[in-house]
Amino acid sequence: MRVPMALQGVSVVELAGLAPGPFCGMVLADFGAQVVRVDRPGTRGDLSRMARGKRSLAVDLKQPRGAAVLRSLCARADVVLESFRPGVMEKLQLSPEILQRENPKLIYARLSGFGQSGRFSRVAGHDINYLALSGVLSRIGRSGEAPYAPLNLLADFGGGGLMCALGILMALFERTRSGKGQVVDANMVEGTAYLGSFLWKTQQTGLWGQPRGQNMLDGGAPFYATYRTADGGFMAVGALEPQFYELLLRALIADPRKKLIWAISVTMIGVVLFDFAADFIDGPIKAYLFDVCTHRDKERGLHYHALFTGLGGALGYLLGAIDWAHLELGRLLGTEFQVMFFFSSSVLTLCFIIHLFSIPEAPLRDVAKDIPPQQAPQELALSSDRMYEYGSIENVKNGYVHPELALQGEKNKNPAEQVKMQLLFYYLRKNILVLAFCSDI
């Protein structure tokens, strides 16, 4: 069963005009009204493409016969809608007084830019002009940029056509009680200002306290704005309420527990990689120090080697702290995991380079120059303890003896162990400042 529409049985005569008038007639037709559009002779129909549900005929209103045809239509109509400039219908002898004299129940709707009276009433204009005079245009636009009109929707269709349709409906409702028609004077400047009542009524609430583009609803809030997407389009975000804002954050930001697990995982991987790199090159470095360098160069080399190795190790173990500190920075720079990986890789690379450059630049000894001409080098088979006692095979060949061992003589039954302990305490004393520095980091 088809339900009757609200305006079924209401007849409307619409005088063809630009977009706001045809839109108003289309709204009435969409709700059941019988709309007849009166076109000028020679026109190609409704250029606004808003003739849905309407019938049409061509009438030359400048001719007496044409004006008589319109009066005949209005005598049986409920509503007549015109969107000419003020005074045009009066010249055609089709004013509200004349038509309502013949049909007292006629509702005469007049839609214009500036109204039927006032100094701007006979001035031509467009949507952007009506929008500017209404004051609403001053509130639309980005901060620091010129105001811009939202197409021609706000003044033409919102403040004009739709407000005029609302006035016609209220006049029809009032006629059910009084039995008389009336004149509806709808203009786009006042209609747009009326739509902007919320802007002016909330001025003292702080909602619009900032300049244009810096308030919560005009682009000043990150949770009520538009953003460009990776595919070149745009995404509108409107999360005003706290519960919706929380949902937005959950959708955009990873679970904090997952971030913690990721940071710990990256830290452990970084430490393992650094330790592997350090162990891989530690053997060649010490072999170089013991077998090539002199005792003094070896001592200095071991010192710097321990210093840079400790510094690099401390930086490696700080990867987790660096990752976690840059989680918040990741929200500003981009994907958080990418930022974490970047800083982790950077610190690992730095540690590896420091470890490589910890090899001392000690000159190689020319063994041939240190051997007297009358003596021939003899290959000595030394135990591990004796080799450690003299420092290297080259030192043994050159007749070099560790000075501290020479003073102690045969009193030490295990000189190698004693030398190890002395070196251990020596390097601990040397590196205590390095460890303190790393702990501060």
Side-chain angles (χ1 to χ4, degrees):
M1 180 178 177
R2 185 176 181 181
V3 179
M5 303 189 72
L7 298 181
Q8 185 173 351
V10 176
S11 61
V12 179
V13 177
E14 174 194 323
L15 301 183
L18 296 178
F23 176 71
C24 178
M26 186 185 72
V27 171
L28 300 177
D30 288 341
F31 287 91
Q34 298 176 358
V35 181
V36 177
R37 190 184 72 247
V38 178
D39 293 320
R40 298 177 183 178
T43 59
R44 299 181 179 180
D46 186 8
L47 299 179
S48 301
R49 300 295 189 272
M50 294 184 182
R52 183 175 62 236
K54 303 176 184 178
R55 294 179 297 170
S56 65
L57 74 157
V59 177
D60 188 358
L61 298 179
K62 295 181 179 180
Q63 301 297 326
R65 294 180 59 184
V69 171
L70 183 63
R71 285 197 297 269
S72 177
L73 291 173
C74 293
R76 301 187 299 271
D78 297 295
V79 180
V80 60
L81 172 63
E82 62 94 1
S83 54
F84 299 132
R85 293 187 190 179
V88 173
M89 293 296 285
E90 282 75 9
K91 291 181 180 180
L92 298 174
Q93 299 299 312
L94 298 172
S95 64
E97 293 80 6
I98 295 176
L99 297 183
Q100 286 182 336
R101 188 184 309 129
E102 299 175 358
N103 182 6
K105 294 184 178 181
L106 180 66
I107 296 172
Y108 197 109
R110 317 193 77 169
L111 178 57
S112 61
F114 301 99
Q116 300 298 314
S117 61
R119 61 192 183 97
F120 289 106
S121 60
R122 298 181 181 274
V123 177
H126 287 287
D127 178 278
I128 194 170
N129 308 119
Y130 312 141
L131 190 62
L133 289 177
S134 71
V136 176
L137 183 61
S138 65
R139 308 302 303 180
I140 304 176
R142 294 288 185 181
S143 177
E145 300 179 3
Y148 59 84
L151 306 179
N152 67 329
L153 296 177
L154 190 51
D156 279 353
F157 296 100
L162 196 59
M163 291 298 295
C164 184
L166 178 62
I168 292 172
L169 295 178
M170 290 189 292
L172 287 172
F173 177 75
E174 195 278 334
R175 192 182 67 173
T176 62
R177 295 181 294 183
S178 65
K180 296 181 180 180
Q182 56 182 294
V183 178
V184 177
D185 182 8
N187 71 81
M188 285 172 265
V189 174
E190 294 182 0
T192 305
Y194 186 75
L195 290 178
S197 298
F198 175 72
L199 301 177
W200 319 126
K201 296 296 184 180
T202 56
Q203 286 278 36
Q204 304 301 324
T205 63
L207 189 60
W208 308 102
Q210 300 300 321
R212 180 183 67 255
Q214 301 180 20
N215 301 281
M216 184 170 64
L217 298 180
D218 60 3
F223 47 81
Y224 199 85
T226 56
Y227 297 92
R228 183 182 294 273
T229 56
D231 58 357
F234 290 88
M235 178 182 68
V237 177
L240 293 177
E241 292 77 5
Q243 63 271 26
F244 298 144
Y245 182 69
E246 183 178 355
L247 292 176
L248 175 65
L249 294 182
R250 289 182 181 178
L252 296 179
I253 302 176
D255 189 348
R257 293 174 297 179
K258 295 182 179 179
K259 293 190 294 185
L260 178 60
I261 295 174
W262 180 261
I264 294 175
S265 301
V266 173
T267 302
M268 297 306 297
I269 294 174
V271 171
V272 170
L273 291 178
F274 176 81
D275 288 343
F276 174 79
D279 293 340
F280 183 77
I281 64 175
D282 190 64
I285 291 177
K286 289 185 177 180
Y288 172 83
L289 292 173
F290 278 96
D291 295 337
V292 178
C293 298
T294 63
H295 176 75
R296 183 176 182 181
D297 292 335
K298 176 186 65 178
E299 183 177 318
R300 186 172 64 252
L302 285 174
H303 168 69
Y304 288 113
H305 174 66
L307 187 149
F308 286 117
T309 301
L311 178 61
L315 291 176
Y317 282 99
L318 284 176
L319 280 176
I322 294 175
D323 288 338
W324 187 254
H326 286 85
L327 282 176
E328 295 297 329
L329 184 61
R331 297 181 181 179
L332 303 176
L333 299 182
T335 305
E336 298 168 355
F337 292 160
Q338 292 178 352
V339 176
M340 292 167 58
F341 182 77
F342 170 75
F343 279 97
S344 300
S345 302
S346 301
V347 175
L348 275 176
T349 304
L350 177 63
C351 295
F352 190 76
I353 293 175
I354 291 176
H355 204 86
L356 285 179
F357 278 91
S358 65
I359 301 176
E361 298 182 359
L364 294 176
R365 291 178 55 87
D366 192 350
V367 179
K369 293 182 178 181
D370 296 335
I371 299 177
Q374 67 277 10
Q375 296 180 357
Q378 299 178 2
E379 298 294 335
L380 299 178
L382 298 177
S383 64
S384 59
D385 293 340
R386 296 289 293 174
M387 182 175 176
Y388 195 88
E389 173 185 347
Y390 286 91
S392 68
I393 297 175
E394 297 298 330
N395 289 335
V396 175
K397 294 178 180 179
N398 298 331
Y400 178 82
V401 179
H402 196 287
E404 296 183 3
L405 295 180
L407 293 177
Q408 294 175 357
E410 296 297 330
K411 295 181 181 179
N412 298 324
K413 297 182 179 180
N414 194 351
E417 292 296 331
Q418 184 174 356
V419 172
K420 289 181 182 179
M421 294 299 297
Q422 290 176 351
L423 289 176
L424 176 60
F425 286 110
Y426 176 78
Y427 290 129
L428 285 178
R429 187 174 64 254
K430 289 287 187 178
N431 295 328
I432 190 169
L433 294 177
V434 176
L435 294 177
F437 173 75
C438 295
S439 61
D440 291 338
I441 295 179

